[in-house]
Amino acid sequence: MVMVERVEAIYQDVVKRNPGEVEFHQAVKEVLECLGPVLVKYPDFTEAKIIERICEPERQTIFRVPWQDDRGEVQINRGFRVQFNSALGPYKGGLRFHPSVYLGIIKFLGFEQIFKNSLTGLPIGGAKGGSDFDPKGKSDNEVMRFCQSFMTELWRIIGEHTDVPAGDIGVGGREIGYLFGQYKRLTNKFEAGVLTGKGLVYGGSQVRTEATGYGCTYFVEEMLKGKKNGLKGKKVVVSGSGNVAIYTLEKVHQLGGKVIAMSDSNGVIVDERGCNIETIQQLKEVERRRIKDYCDYHRHAKYIHGGNIWDVPCDVAMPSATQNEVTGKDAKKLVKNGCIAVGEGANMPTTPDGVQVFLSAGVLFGPGKAANAGGVATSALEMQQNAGREAWGFEETDAKLHQIMKNVYQLCSEAADEFGSPGNFVVGANIAGFIKVARAMSAHGLV
Ligand code: NDP
Ligand code: 2IT
């Protein structure tokens, strides 16, 4: 897509002001490319410089995280929290612990989060944080000491009405537990709503663990329903084997599809009979092992070390590992092999040329900020329960999530129609997400 001239100038300025942050540039470019028609309809957004303001985080914090490993050796990591936009509610977004983390990744994720959170219809602003800490191969005690040190800085800038972190890559129930324990100790308050993704015994919500994968699958089902189709009988490929991938697998099977391949950063498993959820949960959630060990339990399955999961022919692809994992070449291969729908469980998993390949081929394409919004939406439901000192049941919460995903799909679909790109949910998600935030920012004056 081409940017209108004024927006192009804003984008060039973002690149200049944020040197080297390539993932952030990529995320900004994709949103800005869609906004031309919005500025025509809402000229006051231009006058108030809403786009320029939305591209500049409200606050960014970078801090030292010192901790001691099991051998007593001192380790130093870097911690981040980018509080990007609070026009719609308290800052909200996950924490990522992965060695690749640097400011550019946290800013891309925080920027995406603004529009995603807007699409959920719930009162949450956008943020992201994390660290270059690598949880792989660390003992529970090491992870605990790291989380305690991380929170010893983070607690100053978060709070149930200020900023509410949650999980992302490398941060799940175990880490949220340690982070919550340290926050509670430092503040001397049981402030349940300060973190989401908590355990069910201390203020967590039913369905939060499942929410991103379930929600992404609901979104794909909605896209297919729009074409009088459905997941029933479809062959699905899901990259990754973490939180999002596991519950995508579960929901796809519940809706009658079959997940035939999954992966981790080392390789791919292919199980034509359908991947077994219990085995994967035991391996990944309990024992923290590698996906290759799946074949020890299912001898008929194949492990391809260093393989590319997008080479596996499928009807539906659900990238659920990390950014830029589906290239233009991968997208062409998927299209050639008959893929008809893509649901992005991960954040920005498809490169810009990959997105173009899917859109030009007429593949139904659910961009991450819409398709994976179920995770943060259920986090907002967790905040709602914490505020009301309530705990809803599984079915009730799942029904709310399902309805939210239908609404997100509707919003994207209607905005795409209204702004001249019917069926293009990238345009739809970016425009619908942006307009609500821009309106709130306009209402708040120059802040
Ligand atoms: P997990 O840490 O639970 O799992 C991540 C999975 O992706 C693992 O299988 C991991 O493999 C793989 N992976 C991670 N980084 C890379 C990499 N650089 N190259 C190859 N594979 C990689 O994370 P989640 O499932 O929570 O997150 C997955 C994606 O979903 C992320 O993009 C995240 O931002 C997004 N997301 C998560 C939400 C949530 O609620 N958790 C909500 C919305 C989006 P390995 O073990 O080998 O590293
Ligand atoms: O990318 C995301 O939306 C998440 N990692 C979930 C954020 C949240 O606050 O639940």
Side-chain angles (χ1 to χ4, degrees), residues 192-393:
V194 70
L195 290 167
T196 60
K198 298 182 293 297
L200 294 177
V201 291
Y202 68 94
S205 173
Q206 295 284 357
V207 196
R208 177 61 191 89
T209 305
E210 295 83 357
T212 312
Y214 277 21
C216 190
T217 312
Y218 291 145
F219 192 93
V220 167
E221 184 75 354
E222 287 305 304
M223 291 197 299
L224 289 167
K225 252 172 50 191
K227 298 279 177 204
K228 310 251 176 298
N229 206 337
L231 274 163
K232 193 151 191 267
K234 298 288 185 297
K235 280 193 180 185
V236 182
V237 161
V238 179
S239 65
S241 45
N243 172 266
V244 178
I246 290 171
Y247 294 95
T248 299
L249 163 67
E250 183 169 68
K251 187 51 77 179
V252 166
H253 285 190
Q254 284 174 9
L255 296 184
K258 187 158 75 172
V259 175
I260 55 163
M262 294 180 74
S263 63
D264 62 18
S265 57
N266 298 126
V268 178
I269 54 153
V270 180
D271 183 347
E272 291 288 346
R273 295 183 199 168
C275 294
N276 182 292
I277 177 142
E278 283 83 21
T279 307
I280 294 187
Q281 278 182 312
Q282 180 64 26
L283 282 175
K284 305 303 286 195
E285 292 184 328
V286 183
E287 299 173 24
R288 298 179 192 277
R289 287 162 67 185
R290 310 302 297 160
I291 198 74
K292 102 173 171 345
D293 298 338
Y294 181 89
C295 300
D296 297 346
Y297 300 87
H298 304 277
R299 294 276 171 201
H300 61 272
K302 250 188 346 199
Y303 176 68
I304 311 155
H305 189 74
N308 182 351
I309 194 165
W310 312 120
D311 289 343
V312 179
C314 62
D315 304 306
V316 177
M318 301 184 69
S320 307
T322 194
Q323 64 277 355
N324 293 328
E325 56 167 315
V326 185
T327 64
K329 205 168 142 216
D330 296 329
K332 281 187 192 142
K333 184 73 165 271
L334 283 162
V335 171
K336 186 168 149 260
N337 286 339
C339 174
I340 57 164
V342 176
E344 292 191 326
N347 285 304
M348 206 169 75
T350 312
T351 60
D353 54 331
V355 175
Q356 281 318 313
V357 170
F358 289 133
L359 293 176
S360 327
V363 171
L364 292 165
F365 182 77
K369 62 172 76 69
N372 72 39
V376 75
T378 308
S379 278
L381 300 180
E382 183 170 330
M383 292 162 72
Q384 210 175 316
Q385 291 168 79
N386 294 152
R389 301 193 192 283
E390 288 185 333
W392 307 333

Side-chain angles (χ1 to χ4, degrees), residues 117-163:
N117 293 5
S118 164
L119 286 170
T120 66
L122 299 164
I124 39 180
K128 203 80 185 193
S131 175
D132 57 1
F133 173 73
D134 185 359
K136 269 201 206 96
K138 303 288 190 297
S139 69
D140 285 352
N141 271 321
E142 288 175 323
V143 170
M144 179 179 76
R145 286 196 293 273
F146 175 80
C147 288
Q148 291 178 338
S149 183
F150 186 86
M151 185 53 87
T152 302
E153 277 302 317
L154 189 71
W155 74 278
R156 304 169 200 284
I157 58 166
I158 62 174
E160 64 173 324
H161 301 297
T162 310
D163 182 357

